[in-house]
Amino acid sequence: MEEQKILIVDDDEGVRDMLADFFRVLGYQPVIACNGEEALNLLEQHDVLLVISDIKMPVMDGIEMLKRIRKKRGDLDVILITGYGPDYSWDSVKKAGASDYVSKPFSIDVIEKKVKSLIDKKTGRRVDAR
Amino acid sequence: MHGKDLRTEKGFLAVQMTRGVSLVVRLTMAILTRLIGMRWVVDTEDSASGLSMLTPTEAAALSGMLRRILDRKDGQDRWMELLSGELVQKNEYLRTVNKEVISLARSLEATNAELETTRDYLDNLIQNSADMIVATGQGRIVTLFNRRAQEILGYRAEEVIGRSVEVLYQKGETKRVEENLRIAPDGRLMEHEVRLRTKGGIAIPARLTASLLYDETGRVTGSFGACTDLTHIKALEEELVKQQKVLAIAELGGAASHELNQPLTVALGRIQLIRRRQGRHGPYERELRHVERELQKMAQMVRRIGQITRYETAPYVGASRILDLKGSVIKAPKEKQKPQRKLMCG
């Protein structure tokens, strides 16, 4: 069975690689982009299950990317990663169309839980609360 | 003197009386005219008594002249006339002088009224000025202390007027102002910052514009100064500086927290990945926990840096101070959070 793809979008190489390794551990195939624009191009080429993206990025930030995704793929789950500060609260990223969000520095346990929750919701399975 | 009108001749007084005028009156007139340096003349009807008052030479000289003059009279001699060329001239002159005096008096009255209005206006202007206005005379003695100065410095005018201006300044300030006034071009000091002192001893920052007052010989007779209270402006400036510091720190904090979060996220994530691969009882679990704990501390600091909303410092080595991360963070009211949200691991 072909591995499900998760699109990782972050301008920081360390974060990208760490998340990629993590999703491999979880059994997913990571697809990696450095910014929103690159992510939109990759979405044209790959059938991804979920997108996890940083907000602050050069070329195209996560919010703009999300808005464009929503125009084409209303059903695609997108988790946004924010830094600290008042700029991006849950309410504001939800308003932009995010399925969920996490703040840096995050725990990969939290990422796992959020990803599973969204996938289970989509597939109709019960959320495995840890 | 022939042919001349006696009324225009200097030094003569012509008296025409009715026949019924008593001798007493005539004599009185004669004496009075003598007293004022005139010559006494009477009509021909009663010339004897009149001429008798003159010396014989005068009487002879006047007799013929009087006849000629009185010959011209039209018979309406019921009223006494006192006419003299000199008196007429003097009277005319006096009338003119009187007119001029009256005119001058009226003009002075108008000028006085105008000055009164101007003085009231200027007084009103000074008293109602938004600035403190103080004038001094010789020996730094206060001669003017307007309402605003009273309000700000807490003295009543009568408490200050007559005293040395030094009482209104912080220690040493009077000397400094005087020195600056002395060297100022044209004896005018512009926008000079001074420290005033209230009656209660509170220091008031103020901006002074002052000038020396001179008399017509160029001698300094005093000074005149207008002061703007800078308390509010100073407070605003301090607040602005503070806000700028907060803004700069907040911006720096935001950038620092963003940049530091990247390696922190990676480091913490990698520790968790190692744990997933080797399990919780791997050979380096103890070291991993130490590293993770320190990274969590860093994460906590980064979180605070990202939340700086005010400028507070704490003592550091020696006299230096550093930003107090705890004191500089005011926690904003929590926004609605997702219940399952968990930021940190461990």
Side-chain angles (χ1 to χ4, degrees):
Chain A
M1 184 185 159
E2 196 183 340
E3 285 176 329
Q4 289 178 307
K5 292 176 182 171
I6 289 186
L7 176 59
I8 299 163
V9 193
D10 202 305
D11 58 324
D12 187 279
E13 188 184 9
V15 176
R16 282 198 311 261
D17 290 350
M18 187 271 289
L19 282 173
D21 287 348
F22 171 63
F23 282 116
R24 280 189 200 102
V25 168
L26 292 181
Y28 297 101
Q29 182 188 339
V31 178
I32 293 171
C34 297
N35 56 56
E37 193 176 272
E38 209 175 298
L40 292 174
N41 290 335
L42 288 170
L43 279 175
E44 299 288 326
Q45 301 160 32
H46 301 273
D47 180 22
V48 302
L49 182 66
L50 182 139
V51 178
I52 181 160
S53 171
D54 193 12
I55 291 179
K56 285 190 175 177
M57 291 179 295
V59 186
M60 185 190 291
D61 68 21
I63 299 287
E64 181 58 30
M65 179 201 73
L66 178 58
K67 285 178 185 168
R68 296 199 187 189
I69 289 173
R70 284 285 165 261
K71 283 180 185 169
K72 291 182 177 177
R73 296 275 308 271
D75 61 325
L76 181 62
D77 284 316
V78 178
I79 296 174
L80 289 180
I81 304 169
T82 71
Y84 284 121
D87 293 351
Y88 304 108
S89 61
W90 165 235
D91 284 343
S92 61
V93 293
K94 191 180 175 187
K95 207 172 175 181
S99 309
D100 210 335
Y101 87 118
V102 287
S103 294
K104 284 179 186 172
F106 49 77
S107 155
I108 56 173
D109 291 344
V110 173
I111 297 280
E112 182 182 8
K113 196 158 70 176
K114 286 179 183 287
V115 169
K116 278 191 173 175
S117 168
L118 289 171
I119 292 169
D120 289 349
K121 205 183 280 177
K122 192 173 273 181
T123 56
R125 275 190 286 171
R126 192 174 167 272
V127 178
D128 175 27
R130 283 174 58 137
Chain B
M1 293 173 79
H2 180 74
K4 284 188 180 175
D5 188 341
L6 186 64
R7 286 176 298 180
T8 61
E9 288 295 321
K10 283 181 80 176
F12 289 92
L13 176 71
V15 180
Q16 185 187 349
M17 286 172 284
T18 58
R19 286 186 187 86
V21 172
S22 72
L23 180 63
V24 177
V25 173
R26 288 200 297 273
L27 285 171
T28 306
M29 293 303 297
I31 292 162
L32 284 172
T33 46
R34 278 294 179 104
L35 283 173
I36 61 171
M38 299 292 171
R39 302 292 174 88
W40 166 238
V41 181
V42 294
D43 66 10
T44 53
E45 294 297 323
D46 202 10
S47 60
S49 56
L51 293 171
S52 65
M53 299 300 293
L54 305 173
T55 61
T57 317
E58 288 170 338
L62 286 170
S63 183
M65 187 177 70
L66 277 171
R67 245 177 231 109
R68 283 195 298 278
I69 294 161
L70 296 172
D71 280 349
R72 292 193 294 108
K73 300 301 289 183
D74 55 7
Q76 293 177 359
D77 54 358
R78 296 181 67 83
W79 299 97
M80 181 174 72
E81 283 180 0
L82 288 170
L83 295 166
S84 145
E86 191 175 8
L87 274 183
V88 168
Q89 283 176 3
K90 277 186 178 173
N91 197 29
E92 282 300 316
Y93 173 72
L94 282 174
R95 211 174 286 162
T96 310
V97 169
N98 192 35
K99 272 184 190 170
E100 280 175 16
V101 168
I102 289 168
S103 165
L104 195 65
R106 280 181 185 153
S107 168
L108 277 171
E109 217 167 85
T111 308
N112 202 29
E114 206 173 303
L115 279 171
E116 282 279 317
T117 311
T118 308
R119 200 196 65 184
D120 286 350
Y121 174 73
L122 288 174
D123 190 49
N124 206 22
L125 214 64
I126 287 168
Q127 289 303 332
N128 291 303
S129 167
D131 288 337
M132 293 172 267
I133 294 177
V134 179
T136 62
Q138 290 286 357
R140 302 170 173 169
I141 298 300
V142 177
T143 54
L144 173 73
F145 193 70
N146 82 334
R147 205 173 292 152
R148 187 65 177 149
Q150 295 174 54
E151 285 167 6
I152 292 171
L153 299 177
Y155 289 101
R156 281 178 287 118
E158 56 267 32
E159 289 179 288
V160 176
I161 290 172
R163 291 176 71 185
S164 169
V165 76
E166 281 175 286
V167 75
L168 305 176
Y169 286 108
Q170 287 288 86
K171 202 178 173 186
E173 199 72 345
T174 316
K175 209 171 176 185
R176 195 170 69 86
V177 169
E178 283 178 346
E179 183 61 25
N180 283 311
L181 253 175
R182 197 179 58 77
I183 57 170
D186 304 329
R188 286 190 301 174
L189 203 57
M190 307 297 285
E191 311 274 312
H192 185 73
E193 284 206 12
V194 291
R195 289 171 299 129
L196 302 176
R197 187 175 62 213
T198 67
K199 190 179 177 183
I202 299 165
I204 301 280
R207 188 186 297 122
L208 169 72
T209 295
S211 57
L212 291 171
L213 302 174
Y214 303 90
D215 65 11
E216 60 275 12
T217 64
R219 194 171 56 98
V220 175
T221 56
S223 66
F224 182 87
C227 266
T228 308
D229 180 9
L230 297 179
T231 309
H232 186 56
I233 293 169
K234 286 282 175 195
L236 284 177
E237 279 176 359
E238 277 175 25
E239 185 58 28
L240 184 66
V241 168
K242 212 169 180 177
Q243 288 298 325
Q244 283 172 337
K245 279 182 182 173
V246 170
L247 188 66
I249 290 168
E251 284 174 355
L252 179 68
S257 101
H258 177 76
E259 295 304 323
L260 291 171
N261 266 329
Q262 309 285 32
L264 272 174
T265 303
V266 175
L268 285 165
R270 289 288 171 192
I271 289 171
Q272 289 181 282
L273 272 175
I274 293 168
R275 210 173 264 142
R276 282 194 180 227
R277 284 175 174 148
Q278 69 170 23
R280 281 206 168 262
H281 303 288
Y284 302 109
E285 179 57 28
R286 182 181 157 79
E287 282 69 27
L288 282 179
R289 280 193 184 176
H290 280 295
V291 174
E292 189 176 47
R293 192 178 64 204
E294 297 311 308
L295 289 172
Q296 294 286 13
K297 282 185 194 170
M298 282 178 67
Q300 188 62 28
M301 279 187 270
V302 169
R303 191 199 303 261
R304 282 190 185 142
I305 290 170
Q307 291 174 330
I308 289 171
T309 51
R310 60 181 178 182
Y311 180 70
E312 296 284 340
T313 58
Y316 194 51
V317 183
S320 63
R321 298 183 72 83
I322 57 168
L323 185 73
D324 178 11
L325 274 181
K326 281 184 184 171
S328 299
V329 173
I330 300 176
K331 285 200 171 173
K334 273 194 171 178
E335 255 193 281
K336 198 171 72 182
Q337 302 285 346
K338 291 195 83 182
Q340 75 275 22
R341 184 168 177 258
K342 188 181 173 190
L343 293 172
M344 314 301 293
C345 57

